[in-house]
C-alpha cells in the first residue's frame, strides 16, 4: 500500500475503532436502561392491584413502550456492531464553511453531547447523495428544501468481523467494483442486502414520492423484488410516526416466495409486515370456505392443449379480469342494493314510526359510503333507537285514548250498554297494549328480514342462475355466444362449489361492496411483486376494498406466463386504476452474466410484443452450453454429471428446470438416487430446502435465482407460442452464473432461433 493510502487507512481504522467503542458504550447503557425499565414494569405490575391502579396501568404502558423501543434499538446496534457502516461521503453544503464527513450505515447513531452524526442511516435524506450523486456539484432534498453542495469523496468499505479490510474511492471513471464483486459471488456467499451497491436507477424507485403509488416495469433480475422491499424500509423510516409496520402488506406470488423474501432481507426492519399471497389474502377477506381451482391448473392445461374450446376459455379468463366485467358487477350490485333497500314503512301495530321514503333515502344516499350490509345494520340501529324512544309514547297515547273512551262509556245511562262498552274498551285496550308490546319486541328483526342478505357465494351463483338473468346485466357488453359460454362455464364451476383465481377480482369487489373488508385486514400500503400476473379488475378491487391507492407494483410483462388472465400492458393500470401513479422502468439486469442474457434476449425477441431488450450489467461468464441426448436414462446421467462438475467448481445452488411437473418427475426419479447430493422436487406452495438440488417446473421458477441452472426438454418441448416463449425466458433468466441446456434437438428449446454465437 502506498504511503498516503497507509496513513488514510490508519485514520479509517481509528475511526472504526472510535465508532465501535461508542456503540459499545451505547449498548451497555441501553442494556442498563432495559434492566431499569423491566424493574419499573415489575413494580408497576405489583402496584396494579392498589387503589391508584389507573396510574400504574399508564406507568406500565409507558414503560412497555419504552422497553419495546429500547429493545429494538439495542438489537439493531448489536447486529451492526461487526460492520457499523459501509460507505462515507464528504459533502460540503453551499452555505457552510466546513466539509461534512458522513458515514453511512443501516441505522443512525448520534454523539449524545454534540448531536453530531456518527453514522447516518442509508434512508436519510443526505445519504441520497451517495446513491445518486457523482462527484462534484450535487443536491439533495430534505424537508421540501433543496440543499446544494459539493461532493468531494465517495468511499466504500469492506469491513468484516469489525475489522477494516479495505476501502475504495469511487470517482467518475471507476466502475463500481464492489457491485461487480457482489454480483460475482455465489448464491451462498452473495450479499443478501444490497444497500451498499444500490444503483442510481434503483435508488430513484426506492425514493420516488412516497405519497403516490408507483408502477415499476423491471427486467428479469433488475432487482424489482429487492428494490420493492427497500422502498418499504425507506417508507417505514420516514413514516414511522404514522404507520405501524403491521399496516403494510406484501403480496407475493406463492408461499415459497415468502420464505425466500424472509431469508433475503433480515435487516431491513420490514419483518413485521404482513407477508402473504394474493390467494390467501383474498380468501381471508372473503371467507376461507370458498373452494378454488388450483391457480396453475389452467396454465398446465393450456400447455398441454388439453382444453376443449381453448380460445373461449382464454377469452373468459381475460374477460373476468377486465374492467368491463366490473361494469357488469356494478349493474348487478344495483339490483342487490334495490333488493335490500327498505320498501315499507316501519310501523308498530297501527302506528307508523318511520316512513319508507325516509329509510330509502338513508339507505341509498346518506349511508352510501358504507357496504350494503353495514347500511342495513345502521338502519336497524336507527329503528331500534327510534322504537325505544317511541314505544312509551305509543303506550301513553293508547292508554290515554282508552281512558278517555272508558270515561265516556261510564257516562252511558243504559246499564247493559254501559257494561258492554266498558268491557269492550278494557279488552281492546289490553289487547292493543299487548300487541304493541309483542310487536315491539320483534319489529326491528321482522323489518330487517325484509331486507334480504345472501352469502357472497350465493350472490355470485345467482348472477349466473340463468342466461336471461345474466343478460340483464351483461347484455350491453357481450355477444350471444359469449353470454352462453360464460353462463354455462360459471354455472358448472359454481355448482361444484368452486371458483377460479380469475373470479377473485369480482368476488373481492362484491365482498367490499356488500359486506365490507374487515378493518383488521385493511392494509394501508401494499407492495405487490410479480404484478403482471394480476388482472386490472383484481387490482381495481384491491384498491377499492382497501380504500387506498398507496400501492407499489413491480412486475415484468416479459415474464407474464399467466398473460391469458394477467396484464398485457400497463395502460389501464396507469390511466384508470392508478392514475396518480409514478411509472418507472428498470432496464438493467444484475442477476446474470452478459452471455446468458444475450441468449435470453434472443428468446425474448420471439415474442410479438415489442419488449425492450434487457441490458446486463457488465459481467462476463461462460456461454450457455447445449447438450443433446438419446434417452431418458442418457439425459439423467448427463445432467447428473453436470451437477457434480458444477458442485466441484464450488456452486451449490443449482436448479434443474423442466417445462411441467410431469417432465420434472421423470428426471427426479433418476436424480433422487444420487449419493452425491440431495434433490427436491419443488411443488406449488412448498419451501426450498437448503443445500438441495432443486427440480422445478418452469412456471414455479419465476422469482427464484440459482448459481447454475439446467433446462431440459425430454418429452415436452417449448412451442413457438407466447406463453411457452415466456416460460423458457423465465427459466433462462434464473441463473446467476451458469446455464446448461439439454434436449434431443435444439429446436425443442427454441434454440433454432437463438444466434449460434450465443451458446456452445
Ligand atoms: N444494486 C444491486 N447490488 C447488488 N446486487 C443486486 C443489486 N440489484 C439487484 N441485485 C441482485 O440481483 C438479483 C436479482 O434481484 P431480484 O431478484 O430482486 O430481481 P427481480 O427483478 O425481482 O428478478 P425477477 O423478475 O427475475 O424475479 C439478486 O441476487 C439481487 O441481490
Amino acid at each position: 500500500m502506498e504511503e498516503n493510502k497507509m496513513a488514510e487507512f490508519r485514520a479509517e481504522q481509528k475511526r472504526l475503532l472510535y465508532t465501535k467503542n461508542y456503540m459499545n458504550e451505547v449498548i451497555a447503557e441501553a442494556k442498563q436502561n432495559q434492566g431499569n425499565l423491566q424493574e419499573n414494569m415489575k413494580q408497576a405490575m405489583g402496584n396494579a392491584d392498589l387503589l391508584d391502579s389507573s396510574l400504574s396501568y399508564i406507568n406500565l404502558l409507558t414503560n412497555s413502550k419504552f422497553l419495546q423501543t429500547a429493545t429494538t434499538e439495542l438489537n439493531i446496534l448489536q447486529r451492526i456492531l461487526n460492520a457499523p457502516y459501509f460507505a462515507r461521503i464528504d459533502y460540503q453544503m453551499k452555505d457552510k464553511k466546513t466539509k461534512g464527513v458522513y458515514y453511512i450505515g443501516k441505522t443512525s447513531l448520534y454523539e449524545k453531547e454534540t448531536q453530531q452524526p456518527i453514522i447516518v442511516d442509508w434512508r436519510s435524506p443526505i445519504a441520497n447523495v451517495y446513491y445518486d450523486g457523482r462527484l462534484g456539484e450535487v443536491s439533495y432534498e430534505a424537508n421540501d428544501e433543496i440543499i446544494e453542495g459539493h461532493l468531494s469523496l465517495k468511499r466504500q468499505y469492506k469491513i468484516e468481523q469489525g475489522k477494516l479490510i479495505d476501502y475504495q474511492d469511487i470517482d467518475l471513471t471507476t466502475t463500481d467494483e464492489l457491485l461487480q464483486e457482489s454480483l460475482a459471488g455465489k448464491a451462498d456467499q452473495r450479499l443478501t442486502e444490497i444497500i451498499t451497491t444500490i444503483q442510481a436507477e434503483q435508488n430513484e424507485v426506492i425514493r420516488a414520492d412516497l405519497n403516490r403509488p408507483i408502477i415499476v416495469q423491471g427486467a428479469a433480475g433488475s432487482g424489482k423484488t429487492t428494490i420493492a422491499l427497500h422502498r418499504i424500509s425507506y417508507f417505514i423510516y420516514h413514516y414511522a410516526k404514522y404507520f405501524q409496520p403491521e399496516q403494510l402488506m406484501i403480496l407475493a406470488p406463492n408461499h415459497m416466495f415468502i420464505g425466500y423474501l424472509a431469508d433475503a432481507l433480515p435487516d431491513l426492519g420490514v419483518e413485521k409486515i404482513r407477508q402473504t399471497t394474493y390467494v390467501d389474502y383474498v380468501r381471508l377477506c372473503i371467507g376461507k370456505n370458498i373452494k378454488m381451482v388450483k391457480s396453475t391448473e389452467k396454465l398446465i392445461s393450456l400447455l398441454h392443449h388439453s382444453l376443449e374450446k381453448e380460445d373461449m376459455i382464454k377469452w373468459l379468463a381475460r374477460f373476468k379480469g377486465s374492467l368491463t366485467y366490473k361494469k357488469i358487477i356494478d349493474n348487478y350490485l344495483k339490483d342487490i342494493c334495490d333488493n335490500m333497500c327498505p320498501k315499507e314503512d316501519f310501523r308498530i301495530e297501527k302506528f307508523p314510526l318511520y316512513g319508507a321514503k325516509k329509510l330509502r333515502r338513508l339507505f341509498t344516499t346518506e349511508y352510501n359510503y358504507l357496504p350494503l350490509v353495514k347500511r342495513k345494520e345502521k338502519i336497524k340501529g336507527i329503528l331500534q333507537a327510534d322504537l325505544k324512544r317511541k314505544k312509551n309514547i305509543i303506550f301513553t297515547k293508547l292508554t290515554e285514548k282508552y281512558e278517555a273512551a272508558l270515561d265516556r262509556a261510564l257516562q252511558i245511562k243504559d246499564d247493559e250498554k254501559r257494561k258492554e262498552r266498558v268491557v269492550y274498551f278494557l279488552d281492546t285496550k289490553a289487547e292493543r297494549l299487548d300487541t304493541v308490546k309483542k310487536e315491539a319486541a320483534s319489529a326491528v328483526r321482522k323489518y330487517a328480514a325484509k331486507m334480504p342478505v345472501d352469502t357472497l357465494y350465493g350472490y355470485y351463483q345467482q348472477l349466473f342462475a340463468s342466461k336471461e338473468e345474466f343478460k340483464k346485466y351483461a347484455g350491453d357488453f357481450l355477444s350471444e355466444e359469449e353470454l352462453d359460454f360464460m353462463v354455462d362455464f360459471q354455472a358448472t364451476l359454481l355448482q361444484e362449489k368452486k371458483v377460479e383465481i380469475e373470479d377473485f377480482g369480482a368476488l373481492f369487489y362484491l365482498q367490499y361492496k356488500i359486506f365490507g373488508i374487515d378493518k383488521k385486514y385493511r392494509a394501508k400500503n401494499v407492495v405487490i411483486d410479480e404484478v403482471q400476473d394480476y388482472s386490472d379488475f383484481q387490482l381495481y378491487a384491491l384498491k377499492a376494498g382497501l380504500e387506498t391507492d398507496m400501492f407499489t407494483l413491480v412486475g415484468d410483462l416479459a415474464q407474464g406466463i399467466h398473460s391469458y388472465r394477467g396484464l398485457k400492458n400497463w395502460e389501464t393500470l396507469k390511466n384508470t386504476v392508478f392514475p396518480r401513479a409514478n411509472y418507472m422502468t428498470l432496464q438493467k439486469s444484475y442477476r446474470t452474466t452478459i452471455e446468458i442474457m444475450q441468449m435470453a434476449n434472443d428468446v425474448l425477441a420471439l415474442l410479438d410484443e415489442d419488449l425492450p431488450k434487457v441490458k446486463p450489467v457488465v459481467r462476463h461468464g461462460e456461454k450457455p452450453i447445449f447438450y443433446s441426448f438419446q434417452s431418458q436414462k442418457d439425459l439423467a446421467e448427463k445432467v447428473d454429471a453436470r451437477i457434480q462438475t458444477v458442485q466441484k467448481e464450488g456452486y451449490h445452488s443449482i436448479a434443474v428446470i423442466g417445462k411441467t411437473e410431469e417432465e420434472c418427475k421423470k428426471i427426479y426419479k433418476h436424480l433422487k438416487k444420487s449419493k452425491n447430493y440431495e434433490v427436491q422436487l419443488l411443488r406449488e406452495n412448498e419451501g426450498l430446502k437448503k443445500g438441495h438440488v432443486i427440480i422445478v417446473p418452469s412456471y414455479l421458477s419465476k422469482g427464484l435465482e440459482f448459481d447454475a441452472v439446467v433446462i431440459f426438454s425430454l418429452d415436452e418441448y417449448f412451442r413457438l407460442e407466447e406463453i411457452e416463449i415466456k416460460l423458457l425466458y423465465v427459466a433462462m433468466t434464473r441463473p446467476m452464473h451458469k446455464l446448461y441446456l439439454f434436449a434431443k434437438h435444439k429446436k425443442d428449446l427454441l434454440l433454432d432461433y437463438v444466434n449460434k454465437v450465443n451458446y456452445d
Side-chain angles (χ1 to χ4, degrees), residues 285-286 329-330 332-340 363 367-377 451-463 506-518 545:
C285 297
I286 67 174
I329 299 288
D330 277 330
Y332 180 42
L333 274 163
K334 274 187 215 135
D335 266 9
I336 297 177
C337 178
D338 279 352
N339 201 20
M340 210 186 290
F363 192 85
Y367 298 139
N368 78 347
Y369 66 95
L370 288 172
L372 297 176
V373 169
K374 296 269 169 0
R375 296 186 210 178
K376 177 178 165 179
E377 295 302 319
M451 300 169 72
V453 179
D454 201 341
T455 60
L456 176 66
Y457 195 79
Y459 280 122
Y460 202 47
Q461 202 171 25
Q462 196 55 37
L463 177 61
L507 286 168
F508 193 80
Y509 189 63
L510 281 168
Q511 170 76 26
Y512 161 60
K513 290 282 189 182
I514 302 173
F515 304 93
I517 305 297
D518 199 322

Side-chain angles (χ1 to χ4, degrees), residues 18-84:
Y18 159 75
T19 309
K20 281 191 337 192
N21 285 343
Y22 196 85
M23 284 172 77
N24 275 323
E25 273 173 38
V26 175
I27 289 172
E29 205 176 308
K31 276 190 181 156
Q32 174 77 39
N33 279 344
Q34 203 180 27
N36 291 346
L37 283 168
Q38 271 162 346
E39 189 51 40
N40 283 352
M41 278 181 66
K42 242 192 237 161
Q43 270 182 18
M45 268 206 254
N47 289 342
D49 291 340
L50 299 176
L51 277 180
D52 62 344
S53 60
S54 62
L55 216 69
S56 305
Y57 182 64
I58 294 172
N59 212 343
L60 202 65
L61 277 187
T62 322
N63 278 315
S64 105
K65 186 89 195 136
F66 278 146
L67 185 63
Q68 220 177 5
T69 320
T71 311
T72 316
E73 278 166 14
L74 185 64
N75 285 345
I76 296 179
L77 283 179
Q78 279 175 327
R79 271 211 306 264
I80 66 164
L81 194 58
N82 277 336

Side-chain angles (χ1 to χ4, degrees), residues 293-412:
V293 181
K294 249 185 161 183
S295 58
T296 45
E297 201 171 296
K298 191 168 288 171
L299 173 69
I300 295 166
S301 312
L302 289 175
L303 291 177
H304 289 147
H305 289 284
S306 61
L307 294 169
E308 255 180 68
K309 299 196 178 171
E310 186 178 305
D311 282 349
M312 285 306 276
I313 284 181
K314 277 187 178 167
W315 163 80
L316 183 57
R318 172 146 296 281
F319 181 73
K320 287 200 280 186
S322 68
L323 295 188
T324 312
Y325 189 38
K326 177 194 159 281
K327 286 186 190 155
I328 294 176
I329 299 288
D330 277 330
N331 285 345
Y332 180 42
L333 274 163
K334 274 187 215 135
D335 266 9
I336 297 177
C337 178
D338 279 352
N339 201 20
M340 210 186 290
C341 189
K343 288 172 198 62
E344 301 168 8
D345 293 343
F346 177 62
R347 48 172 71 243
I348 294 276
E349 213 244 2
K350 289 174 187 154
F351 294 86
L353 301 193
Y354 231 107
K357 210 167 148 197
K358 213 161 144 198
L359 286 172
R360 260 203 303 276
R361 193 178 50 75
L362 283 177
F363 192 85
T364 52
T365 318
E366 211 100 326
Y367 298 139
N368 78 347
Y369 66 95
L370 288 172
L372 297 176
V373 169
K374 296 269 169 0
R375 296 186 210 178
K376 177 178 165 179
E377 295 302 319
K378 280 260 188 200
I379 301 268
K380 271 169 77 178
I382 283 179
L383 296 184
Q384 208 90 51
D386 196 58
L387 183 62
K388 203 171 157 198
R389 215 162 20 90
K390 292 187 182 153
K391 198 168 81 178
N392 289 337
I393 302 175
I394 296 175
F395 268 116
T396 317
K397 260 191 186 167
L398 273 180
T399 313
E400 280 172 5
K401 178 181 163 180
Y402 283 98
E403 306 269 280
L406 272 171
D407 276 352
R408 280 195 307 277
L410 285 169
Q411 313 289 325
I412 299 173

Side-chain angles (χ1 to χ4, degrees), residues 245-287:
E246 292 80 3
Q247 291 175 310
L248 312 185
M249 173 165 77
I250 304 177
L251 292 183
N254 52 46
H255 290 264
M256 170 173 62
F257 214 85
I258 295 174
Y260 185 70
L261 290 183
D263 261 13
L265 295 138
D267 269 351
L268 284 176
V270 296
E271 302 87 340
K272 285 194 198 139
I273 294 173
R274 183 197 290 271
Q275 297 178 29
T276 182
T277 65
Y278 174 66
V279 168
D280 281 359
Y281 178 66
V282 172
R283 294 183 80 180
L284 186 71
C285 297
I286 67 174

Side-chain angles (χ1 to χ4, degrees), residues 539-550:
L539 293 165
Y540 184 98
L542 277 179
K543 182 187 102 165
L546 299 179
E547 295 177 347
T548 175
D549 71 347
M550 289 310 300

Side-chain angles (χ1 to χ4, degrees), residues 179 190 197 202 221-226 559 591 703 705 734:
L179 173 67
R190 216 178 210 202
T197 51
Q202 298 177 318
S222 59
K224 289 182 295 296
T225 308
T226 325
Q559 297 182 66
R591 174 177 299 129
E705 68 181 12
R734 296 309 98 199

Side-chain angles (χ1 to χ4, degrees), residues 179 182-183 190-192 194 197-199 202 218-227 260 529-530 556 559 590-591 702-705 733-734 736:
L179 173 67
S182 135
L183 296 179
R190 216 178 210 202
L191 275 180
T192 47
I194 59 153
T197 51
I198 290 169
Q199 300 298 292
Q202 298 177 318
S222 59
K224 289 182 295 296
T225 308
T226 325
I227 295 311
Y260 185 70
D529 200 359
E530 307 280 349
D556 180 14
Q559 297 182 66
Y590 298 91
R591 174 177 299 129
K702 202 152 48 83
L704 302 179
E705 68 181 12
T733 50
R734 296 309 98 199
M736 294 190 276

